[in-house]
Amino acid sequence: MAVLVIADHDGVNLRDTTNKTVTAAAKLGEVDILVVGQGAKAVADAAAAIAGVRKVLLAESAELAKTLAEAVEAVVVPLAAGYDAVLAPATMDGKNYMPRIAARLDVAPISDIIEVVSADTFVRPIYAGNALETVQSSDGKKVITVRPTAFDAAGTGGSAAIETIAGADAARTDFIGEELVKSDRPELGAAKIIVSGGRAMGSAEEFHAIMDPLADKLGAAVGASRAAVDAGYAPNDYQVGQTGKVVAPGLYIAIGISGAIQHLAGMKDSKVIVAINKDADAPIFQVADYGIVGDYKTVVPELMTALG
Amino acid sequence: MKVLVPVKRVIDYNVKARVKADQTGVDLANVKMSMNPFDEIAVEEAVRLKDGKDHHAAGTVTEIVVVSIGVQQAQETIRTALAMGADRGILIQSDADLEPLAVAKLLKAVVEEEKPDLVLMGKQSIDGDNNAVGQMLAALLDWPQATFASKIQIGDGKATVTREIDGGLQTIASQLPAVVTVDLRLNTPRYASLPNIMKAKKKEIAMKTVADYGVDIAPRLSVLKVTAPPVRSAGIKVADAAELVSKLKTAGAI
């Protein structure tokens, strides 16, 4: 079987989510990687270095620079004829264009898989992660998004050839602009430690005053509950949960987060979970490996001291 | 202009889904059902567009049609949308659990019949968690799409949409007609008032069947089993930060 993986990148750097998707794809067959973008040669080079990759296809155009769904579709659909499966990580980008591609190919997309059982059978979470569904696809071609936290990253050391293919444009949607959150901390999806804050923080100033020093001390990324994001304490991009980011770091510290179903959906596969909450009955304690019942205002400073 | 808003009846978001013992699915007997939370946001935005609320110009939208595909009881979901301010409803009755591809094909048929200028819908349903129907509908119609909208402006024949993306926000302008899927931050849906609930009872709901649309809904995926996720082993409460740090060091977490 031949499998096409659509690379996830920021225009310059290949994201780790791509390597994780390659691990899932390699269970299905021989892997080629497609890089869409503009000025993305460095990304294609990085993709070519992933171990086990057969070749890298590089498609560049202005429309592809922002991975608009219509433009990505126009590149992938003709290419799909030569592949048995097309995979992308279940990032906001992948979720945006993959179902569009599936509909064009008249196949049922399989979203956010966490396990490859066989070439046509996959496991995916449903109902906010409260159930796992094993599905078998009867479609000749599979269109799949992969939950990156469920797979290890493929290593490097490969030296695949890079082939340039035509880009595409899609004039019916125009890119107007973007506002990206600037951060020197690790990316939420790739962080080994995440400290996450909830509504208890009360204000954006308090959120940052508590969370930032702790994150810096631990070299951690900062996350937030939906309540904290809705209240404006943290940017949307920080949201961990069913509708935000799904993370699975080595250590997740939930501070002032009650642990609603929707939040747990985004972090309950973390290796070690710590909860700091003054409500001893908060649902977060049911999934926490270590819990401290207490006010974060006293516990977090003590934690800073204890960390030395 | 006319807006079509697809809505889905799903398990209430506060209910923890329980897997059936025979692993055939999730137990929905006697479970509270509600409108999918993202669909409420889509209905709310359509009503604001019609009312000229927020930054929307009055009269942008003249008619809101809601459509649901599902069991007979999905009528209640349509009534809720009508009570929020939608004008009329369409229920395509089906007892089968339809896949996103079949739903997108049925919605395409509805779009061809109703000819809306905009389809406004939730980004995902909280039961299947697929996040696919809007994108698939756009592809089948060959319309542009703007997904995960946290701000929508309609004007000059375009939908200018601010989208939630990894790393921040992105603004794009899609030519109408288009499919826009909405994210959590777009608005806070209203509660239907009692007088509006009463008025909604008089609004029309057209009853249809899948056969009326001549669409192939054959499933492409077969569900082999549905299981409960692994349960985390019970944790411990520690007395203070010092003990926590020592436990984390022992566990190799820091």
Side-chain angles (χ1 to χ4, degrees):
Chain A
M1 274 179 78
V3 185
L4 184 68
V5 167
I6 306 177
D8 181 34
H9 63 89
D10 64 3
V12 183
N13 300 302
L14 185 73
R15 294 205 180 96
D16 184 51
T17 47
T18 309
N19 302 55
K20 291 173 173 172
T21 304
V22 168
T23 299
K27 294 177 194 284
L28 299 174
E30 283 207 278
V31 180
D32 291 353
I33 298 183
L34 170 67
V35 175
V36 298
Q38 194 177 35
K41 180 66 172 54
V43 177
D45 288 340
I50 297 177
V53 171
R54 190 171 64 173
K55 71 176 171 188
V56 173
L57 303 169
L58 175 61
E60 298 188 281
S61 74
E63 296 284 344
L64 289 171
K66 297 299 171 188
T67 52
L68 298 178
E70 297 85 343
V72 177
E73 172 210 323
V75 173
V76 176
V77 169
L79 274 182
Y83 293 93
D84 302 293
V86 182
L87 280 74
T91 57
M92 294 298 260
D93 253 6
K95 290 174 185 175
N96 185 35
Y97 49 67
M98 291 300 269
R100 193 173 174 104
I101 291 164
R104 282 284 191 206
L105 298 169
D106 194 31
V107 307
I110 307 165
S111 305
D112 216 12
I113 64 161
I114 58 169
E115 187 186 333
V116 175
V117 177
S118 71
D120 64 1
T121 305
F122 309 91
V123 180
R124 57 181 299 270
I126 53 175
Y127 290 88
N130 285 304
L132 303 177
E133 175 183 67
T134 303
V135 292
Q136 184 171 33
S137 167
S138 61
D139 284 315
K141 211 175 287 293
K142 319 287 185 258
V143 175
I144 298 167
T145 57
V146 174
R147 177 174 289 198
T149 56
F151 296 88
D152 294 328
T156 53
S159 57
I162 298 173
E163 190 180 306
T164 302
I165 60 167
D169 54 8
R172 289 173 307 160
T173 294
D174 296 323
F175 173 75
I176 308 290
E178 62 192 3
E179 276 172 63
L180 300 180
V181 178
K182 289 190 181 63
S183 174
D184 298 329
R185 297 204 183 86
E187 250 187 285
L188 206 45
K192 292 190 171 57
I193 301 178
I194 293 173
V195 294
S196 209
R199 182 162 43 192
M201 304 281 157
S203 72
E205 294 71 31
E206 175 83 352
F207 185 94
H208 289 290
I210 292 287
M211 305 303 291
D212 293 359
L214 182 60
D216 291 340
K217 181 144 253 168
L218 289 163
V222 180
S225 68
R226 178 188 169 187
V229 172
D230 281 352
Y233 306 162
N236 302 350
D237 185 48
Y238 282 33
Q239 188 182 327
V240 172
Q242 183 185 18
T243 62
K245 291 202 168 65
V246 176
V247 298
L251 174 61
Y252 187 92
I253 306 182
I255 303 170
I257 291 177
S258 63
I261 294 169
Q262 293 78 14
H263 186 76
L264 300 183
M267 44 65 78
K268 66 185 169 58
D269 293 325
S270 304
K271 195 150 178 288
V272 175
I273 298 172
V274 171
I276 298 170
N277 203 302
K278 64 181 173 189
D279 175 9
D281 296 325
I284 192 76
F285 287 116
Q286 291 164 18
V287 300
D289 299 281
Y290 305 105
I292 296 184
V293 179
D295 190 337
Y296 74 86
K297 286 178 188 166
T298 51
V299 176
V300 173
E302 283 168 13
L303 186 57
M304 294 284 286
T305 311
L307 286 164
Chain B
M1 62 183 247
K2 189 197 273 191
V3 179
L4 183 73
V5 186
V7 296
K8 187 177 185 185
R9 177 180 187 264
V10 299
I11 189 169
D12 188 83
Y13 75 100
N14 278 316
V15 176
K16 189 168 187 282
R18 292 196 191 284
V19 170
K20 287 189 210 168
D22 64 2
Q23 300 194 340
T24 55
V26 164
D27 194 356
L28 295 178
N30 303 317
V31 168
K32 187 184 176 202
M33 305 292 278
S34 302
M35 191 191 300
N36 181 43
F38 292 98
D39 305 350
E40 285 188 330
I41 295 170
V43 172
E44 174 67 30
E45 194 69 8
V47 175
R48 289 185 191 194
L49 277 161
K50 192 180 174 194
D51 292 349
K53 289 279 165 56
D54 296 346
H55 50 277
H56 302 309
T60 308
V61 164
T62 49
E63 187 181 27
I64 303 167
V65 181
V66 290
V67 54
S68 194
I69 304 167
V71 293
Q72 184 71 30
Q73 294 93 314
Q75 260 195 92
E76 295 159 18
T77 310
I78 295 175
R79 286 283 169 218
T80 303
L82 296 176
M84 288 172 74
D87 296 295
R88 63 185 168 88
I90 303 168
L91 173 63
I92 305 174
Q93 220 188 313
S94 168
D95 290 332
D97 192 10
L98 298 177
E99 291 173 2
L101 182 62
V103 172
K105 286 179 176 179
L106 283 165
L107 291 177
K108 176 181 185 248
V110 173
V111 165
E112 283 166 351
E113 199 171 80
E114 292 286 337
K115 302 191 168 44
D117 305 280
L118 176 68
V119 177
L120 202 52
M121 55 194 291
K123 75 163 179 180
Q124 76 189 67
S125 62
I126 60 164
D127 50 0
D129 279 336
N130 282 291
N131 193 331
V133 173
Q135 296 89 315
M136 298 181 84
L137 175 62
L140 295 176
L141 290 166
D142 196 20
W143 286 7
Q145 70 185 49
T147 51
F148 324 141
S150 60
K151 188 179 178 190
I152 300 171
Q153 286 174 291
I154 305 290
D156 299 331
K158 284 179 186 165
T160 302
V161 173
T162 300
R163 307 178 53 231
E164 298 203 4
I165 58 169
D166 288 323
L169 298 169
Q170 178 191 68
T171 303
I172 60 172
S174 292
Q175 276 176 30
L176 295 175
V179 176
V180 176
T181 76
V182 307
D183 216 318
L184 280 176
R185 242 74 60 182
L186 182 63
N187 62 43
T188 305
R190 72 192 63 194
Y191 288 102
S193 65
L194 189 59
N196 285 342
I197 293 171
M198 298 312 288
K199 270 189 236 164
K201 289 187 176 165
K202 296 204 179 72
K203 293 181 180 175
E204 176 208 340
I205 299 179
M207 304 298 284
K208 303 274 193 178
T209 63
V210 171
D212 293 336
Y213 295 95
V215 166
D216 170 22
I217 57 159
R220 306 298 184 84
L221 304 175
S222 52
V223 177
L224 302 184
K225 62 177 177 177
V226 174
T227 55
V231 180
R232 290 187 75 95
S233 52
I236 55 164
K237 296 239 170 77
V238 295
D240 55 30
E243 189 186 347
L244 174 64
V245 169
S246 113
K247 295 275 188 204
L248 290 177
K249 281 186 175 154
T250 310
I254 51 173

